[in-house]
Amino acid sequence: MKRSVCLRDCFDTCFFKTEYDGKSLSFFPEKDHPITSGFLCYKGMHMAEWALSEERLKYPLFQLKKGSGEFQNLSWDSAFFIFKSALDEVIKKYGADKVVVFEFAGTRGIINRFFPYRFFNKLNATFLRHNVCDTGGDEALKDVYGTSVGLSPEDVKDSELIVYWGMNPVKTNLHGYNYFRRRNFEIWVVDIRKTETAVPNYFVQIKPGADIFLSLLIAKILIERKWFDEEFVLQNSVGFQEFKKYLSTLSFDYLAQRCGVGLSLAEDFARRFFEKRGIIHIGYGFQRSYEGPLSVAFVSYLPFLVGNLPGFIYNMDVGLNKDYVKGLNLRTKEQKFIHQSQLAEAIENDEVKFLFIYNANPLATNPNVNRLRKAILDKGVFVVTHDLFLTDTAMFSDLVFPAKSFFEYFDISDSYYHRYVGINEKIFEGWGMSNYELMREIARYYGFNDPSLFESEEDIANNVLKTAGMSLDELSKFGYMRVDRPFKVETPSGKVEFVSQRRKLRGVPDFPELERLMVPEPEDKGALRLISVTYGNTISSQYHNTLRMDEKRIFISPGDAEKIGIKEGDEVVVYNERGKIFTTVNIDSSIPVGCAIMFKAFWKTIAGFTVNELTNDDVVKQFGHQAAYHSTYVKVEKRW
């Protein structure tokens, strides 16, 4: 039995022990860990089907014609020869900056996520700026607090109420949700639909994109009813009087109408939030829109008003030196980047000629994937994918390397939710190569002799851990360790900034003209705003192929169904200028009028479509080029 960490892209980062008998994997969650608390979520319980799937790739593959699905098995030496020949040709003809590395959080193991950077930094390749997840909110919180690192669950003191704002933790943060339930916290949910989390708790339903209006409404109630800690706020902030004056220009009726929340409910929410010194777990989803990033800042003011500093859960960072793993010292030229959601545009602009993809499935998860598919084919980009399965992205690759599951390699991991670091021990040999192994073998094939390209996993782990005052020996002994890192406001003023110096540098107003923040109304008044949310039994596109579970329907309100002329179960076409998909309709009374809900990132090769064939690839430039795919409009019509 060995130590494991769930290395999926999930808040909870669970710790457990694993046993392998040569045929099956058995999991034993850590009972004493305060977050894992002796159980795994649905996805965690089904990790064995994923790791031991018969669909796992076992040999390198070469595609005879990109997109054809016709592959031939290769030896590793043949695959390395093809890789090097194509890479050398691109560098010679176009330059190393046209070699682009596309990765995301398919594994959160620190070594296997970041070690491949070393080889490509040696080549002076181009990397990503990640912008599809939490970049906008990250920038917004830095404007206010100088950091987006807020509370971990165990940091919460003297509070009795938590708000899940724009998230469904029963499906995406189950261990955190149960942590607060066990402590008898009053739970409120702010969302556009009545989710599994909202059903048994207090629920505030808002219109899509209306988060900033609700946060201003609650702030106005707190301040005008004197339900806030005035002395604390004045002592620890700058610009509060300006914020208060701004709120005085906004009427209760206007804010309530714009967010769709009645004044009585808003007042009850505000009163209880004040009395129980509420905290807010700020979800990532609602920032992925034109008005979303700035909304995060205004939501984060609310717990501060009632005396919490910090009072938000958003990101966690215990200070491990991940840049060490990347080997930035290997570069001889300035590092270049492209934005993750704008890969298609970069390809169209001839900025990408060789694309190495690992820990990601962009042809399922990137917005506007029809544009991305077309760009890859039209521009003849040589694509290499490293994955466990023949994903949608692998199907558009020239060369595919088989990867390992995290049960087949050593690693260490932190969490973006709690303060624990854990060790992940190798359980069995399996198939393929880990990210770490693959890049060492390629470096060896190239004849490189830089010691950092071959540094042992143990040495890398020790060098990363020592920045947080730990050693690998200690971590191996205990399995997981907690790192205490006190919160510190890091703004230029050293205080919470309602009037932000950082925002000013980017030309972002502290107190916006609210009508200018709204998503432009579509020319077609019958269009619905499409919100593509996480499916509860997958993690983005992961597990879709092994669990074979999906929910392909489009969910709309009874009012919109009547207007369109469709009934429950009707076959419909959902379309816009980017593409069209065929599905069935579910009429859901909890969906706001003017809105449609679909689940994101199913594989087109399995489900027949991905909703990202419809989502836009627009960005909010002033907030880290945050992807704005929740500002997408679609038409829904009955399929005759």
Side-chain angles (χ1 to χ4, degrees):
M1 195 177 297
K2 295 186 177 180
R3 302 271 191 176
S4 295
V5 185
C6 183
L7 298 182
R8 299 281 66 88
D9 188 10
C10 172
F11 287 107
D12 298 9
T13 313
C14 292
F15 301 104
F16 54 101
K17 295 183 179 73
T18 303
E19 190 171 66
Y20 181 61
D21 64 6
K23 292 182 179 180
S24 60
L25 291 166
S26 300
F27 309 127
F28 304 89
E30 295 285 0
K31 294 180 180 179
D32 295 330
H33 189 270
I35 309 301
T36 304
S37 193
F39 76 97
L40 296 177
C41 70
Y42 176 86
K43 291 162 278 193
M45 290 188 293
H46 289 271
M47 288 184 289
E49 287 99 312
W50 166 76
L52 301 175
S53 170
E54 289 298 321
E55 296 178 11
R56 288 274 304 270
L57 299 177
K58 296 179 173 61
Y59 309 100
L61 301 174
F62 180 73
Q63 187 160 202
L64 302 177
K65 180 182 178 183
K66 186 149 41 207
S68 68
E70 297 178 21
F71 291 91
Q72 66 180 38
N73 292 346
L74 297 174
S75 68
W76 284 96
D77 277 346
S78 295
F80 291 150
F81 175 81
I82 293 170
F83 177 92
K84 186 176 187 301
S85 298
L87 184 57
D88 288 350
E89 182 179 354
V90 165
I91 292 174
K92 181 178 179 180
K93 189 172 181 180
Y94 301 104
D97 63 326
K98 300 301 187 292
V99 175
V100 174
V101 180
F102 190 107
E103 61 80 26
F104 202 37
T107 179
R108 294 198 65 258
I110 292 169
I111 297 170
N112 280 278
R113 179 169 183 184
F114 297 118
F115 183 79
Y117 278 59
R118 291 191 180 186
F119 174 82
F120 288 102
N121 272 323
K122 169 77 174 176
L123 299 182
N124 294 305
T126 297
F127 292 87
L128 293 187
R129 295 279 193 202
H130 298 121
N131 72 326
V132 301
C133 185
D134 61 339
T135 303
D138 188 69
E139 291 294 315
L141 289 169
K142 287 177 181 176
D143 291 339
V144 177
Y145 298 92
T147 178
S148 63
V149 176
L151 294 162
S152 76
E154 293 176 288
D155 296 333
V156 178
K157 309 294 183 185
D158 304 320
S159 295
E160 301 174 78
L161 182 151
I162 183 170
V163 181
Y164 288 104
W165 195 303
M167 63 181 294
N168 182 17
V170 166
K171 293 296 186 180
T172 59
N173 178 216
L174 182 58
H175 291 83
Y177 176 69
N178 276 290
Y179 180 89
F180 288 105
R181 282 189 66 197
R182 292 196 304 271
R183 284 153 182 79
N184 297 315
F185 268 60
E186 184 170 303
I187 296 174
W188 287 71
V189 177
V190 175
D191 211 328
I192 62 172
R193 64 189 180 110
K194 200 162 192 177
T195 63
E196 294 88 342
T197 309
V199 170
N201 296 301
Y202 295 92
F203 177 46
V204 179
Q205 185 172 31
I206 62 172
K207 298 176 180 179
D211 304 271
I212 194 167
F213 294 94
L214 178 59
S215 60
L216 289 168
L217 175 60
I218 301 303
K220 184 176 177 69
I221 293 170
L222 290 172
I223 292 170
E224 295 200 6
R225 300 289 189 273
K226 302 295 183 183
W227 294 340
F228 76 108
D229 192 334
E230 186 169 14
E231 182 180 351
F232 173 84
V233 169
L234 290 173
Q235 182 179 345
N236 290 285
S237 69
V238 294
F240 174 68
Q241 296 301 338
E242 289 91 332
F243 178 59
K244 188 175 178 181
K245 183 178 179 181
Y246 173 67
L247 288 174
S248 70
T249 68
L250 306 170
S251 73
F252 285 117
D253 288 341
Y254 168 75
L255 294 172
Q257 186 272 326
R258 294 308 309 224
C259 68
V261 177
L263 280 175
S264 176
L265 177 58
E267 187 157 292
D268 186 40
F269 175 31
R271 177 178 56 79
R272 298 173 81 93
F273 191 78
F274 167 66
E275 291 173 350
K276 295 177 180 287
R277 287 195 65 197
I279 62 167
I280 300 178
H281 190 157
I282 303 174
Y284 292 157
F286 69 88
Q287 69 187 269
R288 300 163 189 168
S289 62
Y290 298 138
E291 67 285 295
L294 192 57
S295 301
V296 172
F298 283 84
V299 170
S300 80
Y301 289 143
L302 301 180
F304 175 67
L305 289 174
V306 300
N308 292 313
L309 184 60
F312 63 89
I313 296 173
Y314 187 77
N315 278 337
M316 181 47 55
D317 182 1
V318 296
L320 300 181
N321 185 6
K322 296 170 186 176
D323 281 345
Y324 172 81
V325 191
K326 297 178 180 180
L328 299 175
N329 59 297
L330 290 164
R331 298 191 71 87
T332 57
K333 295 181 180 179
E334 185 177 353
Q335 197 165 14
K336 291 182 63 176
F337 298 92
I338 63 170
H339 286 97
Q340 182 180 6
S341 70
Q342 295 178 295
L343 176 61
E345 181 179 340
I347 293 173
E348 291 165 353
N349 293 337
D350 292 318
E351 297 173 51
V352 184
K353 293 299 180 183
F354 185 103
L355 184 61
F356 182 77
I357 301 168
Y358 72 102
N359 288 357
N361 185 11
L363 280 167
T365 60
N366 254 40
N368 203 355
V369 294
N370 284 337
R371 181 183 183 186
L372 179 56
R373 289 190 198 106
K374 185 175 186 301
I376 288 172
L377 292 176
D378 288 352
K379 291 293 185 175
V381 176
F382 193 89
V383 181
V384 180
T385 293
H386 187 211
D387 209 304
L388 283 78
F389 300 100
L390 202 57
T391 63
D392 285 5
T393 300
M395 292 294 291
F396 270 74
S397 301
D398 299 278
L399 183 63
V400 182
F401 288 113
K404 286 184 174 180
S405 74
F406 61 79
F407 296 108
E408 297 156 73
Y409 57 75
F410 164 86
D411 219 320
I412 58 173
S413 180
D414 60 357
S415 169
Y416 55 90
Y417 180 64
H418 54 68
R419 295 185 179 276
Y420 291 88
V421 177
I423 187 168
N424 184 75
E425 297 177 316
K426 183 174 180 177
I427 310 300
F428 69 100
E429 186 55 44
W431 308 277
M433 293 187 185
S434 68
N435 298 334
Y436 170 82
E437 291 168 336
L438 178 65
M439 300 322 299
R440 275 178 55 126
E441 289 305 309
I442 288 176
R444 185 175 288 112
Y445 190 86
Y446 258 75
F448 291 154
N449 55 17
D450 304 69
S452 61
L453 296 176
F454 304 96
E455 186 178 10
S456 73
E457 296 159 300
E458 291 77 13
D459 286 346
I460 295 172
N462 263 318
N463 281 312
V464 170
L465 291 169
K466 70 182 180 182
T467 59
M470 291 186 290
S471 71
L472 183 57
D473 285 343
E474 289 177 301
L475 193 60
S476 299
K477 179 180 178 181
F478 298 107
Y480 57 85
M481 296 176 67
R482 177 186 163 105
V483 181
D484 290 313
R485 194 183 188 197
F487 174 82
K488 181 182 178 182
V489 176
E490 298 180 16
T491 57
S493 66
K495 296 185 176 185
V496 175
E497 296 190 354
F498 289 93
V499 175
S500 168
Q501 298 183 47
R502 195 170 180 272
R503 274 198 290 248
K504 185 177 181 179
L505 292 174
R506 303 199 310 281
V508 177
D510 290 302
F511 311 119
E513 296 178 42
L514 293 174
E515 294 305 310
R516 296 182 64 182
L517 280 178
M518 299 304 291
V519 178
E521 291 291 332
E523 293 182 11
D524 190 328
K525 297 301 181 184
L528 304 178
R529 184 167 177 176
L530 177 66
I531 308 296
S532 48
V533 299
T534 298
Y535 183 55
N537 293 330
T538 62
I539 300 179
S540 200
S541 75
Q542 295 183 63
Y543 298 128
H544 183 212
N545 63 316
T546 54
L547 296 182
R548 282 297 197 275
M549 297 180 65
D550 54 39
E551 172 55 89
K552 297 189 287 185
R553 295 177 295 176
I554 185 168
F555 297 78
I556 65 173
S557 71
D560 287 319
E562 183 178 1
K563 190 184 304 181
I564 297 168
I566 53 179
K567 302 187 298 296
E568 174 70 25
D570 277 352
E571 294 185 1
V572 294
V573 56
V574 185
Y575 65 95
N576 58 20
E577 67 276 16
R578 285 172 286 277
K580 62 182 177 181
I581 59 181
F582 299 98
T583 186
T584 56
V585 68
N586 177 274
I587 300 172
D588 185 340
S589 60
S590 75
I591 305 293
V593 172
C595 177
I597 303 287
M598 292 192 76
F599 291 101
K600 68 176 182 179
F602 295 140
W603 297 17
K604 182 180 176 69
T605 49
I606 297 173
F609 65 81
T610 172
V611 74
N612 282 319
E613 292 174 288
L614 304 177
T615 51
N616 73 61
D617 50 9
D618 296 347
V619 297
V620 186
K621 290 184 179 180
Q622 291 177 309
F623 286 89
H625 285 72
Q626 172 64 55
Y629 49 83
H630 285 167
S631 298
T632 293
Y633 280 94
V634 295
K635 287 278 287 180
V636 179
E637 292 180 0
K638 187 172 182 177
R639 188 178 180 188
W640 299 100

